[in-house]
Amino acid sequence: MKIIKTISELKIALEEIGRDKSIGFVPTMGYLHDGHLSLINEARSQNDFTVVSIFVNPTQFAPGEDLDAYPRDFDRDSRLAAAAGTDLLFFPDPGEIYPAGASTFVEVAGEITKKLCGQSRPTHFKGVTTVVNILFNLIQPNRAYFGQKDAQQVAVIKKMVRDLHLPIQLTVCPIVREADGLAMSSRNVFLTPEERNQALVLSQSLAAAKVLHESGEGRVKTLKDQIIGQISTMPLAVIDYVDILDFETLADIETITAPALAAVAVRFGSTRLIDNIILD
């Protein structure tokens, strides 16, 4: 595996690959877990060359969020990426991605970025789409890989790719969970043992909603009330949002008549966790 820190080195390395080789790209913020590794494995299986980026993107963090505290361990990440079969690991400094005086952003407007995580993090997706667009421009992959856990992010990036006519195929991979059901996240490391135990209610409440839906319940309010009620049994849980939206567009719905996304964001102490499930 080749480790590259600068854009000039990256350009040389990509030229050496040759235009006849397909490139699969996995953008990450590091502190890799099995969810990230599943994306790398998928990229390897579908492409000639696999590029992984590790970049904790400052523009998607608002003041007071956990940018400085976000977990980082590059030595560990590089070992995991290499073992997973990564060909090129791009690990730039912020000044490489955002040169001095940079003031250009790529923003997806509309309701898709205002609801769910966009309610409490109104500048978040502007930072996400800007950095992803920069990385797409630099690497020019044939395919890019994202996890379903970040469902709203996936929907926003899909819209950006479509609206800007980017020649990239997006592949969305299933959520990878711990044995007890907790969705894997780099932020799980911040949870105390009791917070982690109570956080299991996220996957449990979503699974219960799926069972209720499969039994014939299609009313969104009823399903949301069930999720909220179950999460609220945990004294450490502070709900940011619980919502059920159209899976493709994230439009508001009252009754499920097509695939829908049930999504939650809940704080346990200082740690904000997200999870979701598809109701079909």
Side-chain angles (χ1 to χ4, degrees), residues 69-104:
Y70 195 86
R72 297 164 170 86
D73 189 340
F74 181 72
D75 290 341
R76 171 183 170 276
D77 286 346
S78 60
R79 289 194 300 270
L80 289 172
T86 302
D87 295 300
L88 190 156
L89 184 61
F90 184 43
F91 180 55
D93 292 327
E96 192 74 15
I97 298 298
Y98 300 110
S103 60
T104 301

Side-chain angles (χ1 to χ4, degrees), residues 116-139:
L116 301 180
C117 290
Q119 296 177 79
S120 58
R121 306 183 73 190
T123 63
H124 173 68
F125 289 111
K126 182 179 178 180
V128 169
T129 46
T130 296
V131 76
V132 170
N133 195 64
I134 290 170
L135 292 169
F136 281 176
N137 284 335
L138 292 173
I139 294 165

Side-chain angles (χ1 to χ4, degrees), residues 8-260:
S8 58
E9 292 176 300
L10 177 66
K11 289 179 178 178
I12 293 170
L14 293 174
E15 287 173 0
E16 291 174 351
I17 295 172
R19 295 183 179 276
D20 60 329
K21 299 290 180 65
S22 62
I23 296 175
F25 174 46
V26 181
T28 83
M29 293 209 301
Y31 216 73
L32 303 182
H33 51 66
D34 283 349
H36 297 113
L37 301 183
S38 72
L39 303 181
I40 296 172
N41 289 332
E42 192 71 11
R44 285 187 62 224
S45 71
Q46 297 181 359
N47 301 278
D48 300 312
F49 197 87
T50 300
V51 178
V52 174
S53 65
I54 293 178
F55 181 65
V56 182
N57 175 39
T59 65
Q60 67 190 67
F61 291 82
E65 292 185 344
D66 60 348
L67 172 61
D68 292 336
Y70 195 86
R72 297 164 170 86
D73 189 340
F74 181 72
D75 290 341
R76 171 183 170 276
D77 286 346
S78 60
R79 289 194 300 270
L80 289 172
T86 302
D87 295 300
L88 190 156
L89 184 61
F90 184 43
F91 180 55
D93 292 327
E96 192 74 15
I97 298 298
Y98 300 110
S103 60
T104 301
F105 292 87
V106 175
E107 183 174 12
V108 174
E111 287 299 312
I112 194 170
T113 54
K114 292 180 180 178
K115 53 187 58 173
L116 301 180
C117 290
Q119 296 177 79
S120 58
R121 306 183 73 190
T123 63
H124 173 68
F125 289 111
K126 182 179 178 180
V128 169
T129 46
T130 296
V131 76
V132 170
N133 195 64
I134 290 170
L135 292 169
F136 281 176
N137 284 335
L138 292 173
I139 294 165
Q140 298 184 18
N142 300 87
R143 302 176 184 89
Y145 298 80
F146 296 88
Q148 176 61 33
K149 187 175 78 70
D150 298 302
Q152 185 178 17
Q153 173 178 281
V154 168
V156 170
I157 292 172
K158 279 183 176 178
K159 191 171 192 311
M160 178 187 75
V161 167
R162 186 196 67 186
D163 291 355
L164 298 182
H165 305 281
L166 301 180
I168 299 169
Q169 176 184 323
L170 299 184
T171 297
V172 183
C173 298
I175 296 173
V176 177
R177 299 183 179 278
E178 303 283 359
D180 56 10
L182 184 68
M184 288 191 174
S185 168
S186 299
R187 289 185 169 92
N188 288 350
V189 69
F190 296 138
L191 297 168
T192 67
E194 182 56 28
E195 288 169 351
R196 193 196 179 288
N197 183 58
Q198 293 195 26
L200 297 179
V201 75
L202 301 188
S203 60
Q204 292 166 356
S205 64
L206 289 169
K210 187 173 181 68
V211 170
L212 182 59
H213 173 59
E214 289 174 345
S215 73
E217 180 58 69
R219 293 169 295 179
V220 164
K221 184 181 184 306
T222 301
L223 294 166
K224 284 173 60 175
D225 287 347
Q226 184 277 325
I227 297 171
I228 292 169
Q230 191 165 347
I231 292 175
S232 298
T233 64
M234 295 298 159
L236 298 180
V238 179
I239 295 174
D240 183 350
Y241 65 74
V242 171
D243 213 343
I244 298 175
L245 305 167
D246 179 83
F247 178 65
E248 290 295 332
T249 65
L250 301 189
D252 294 327
I253 55 175
E254 294 184 357
T255 305
I256 297 175
T257 58

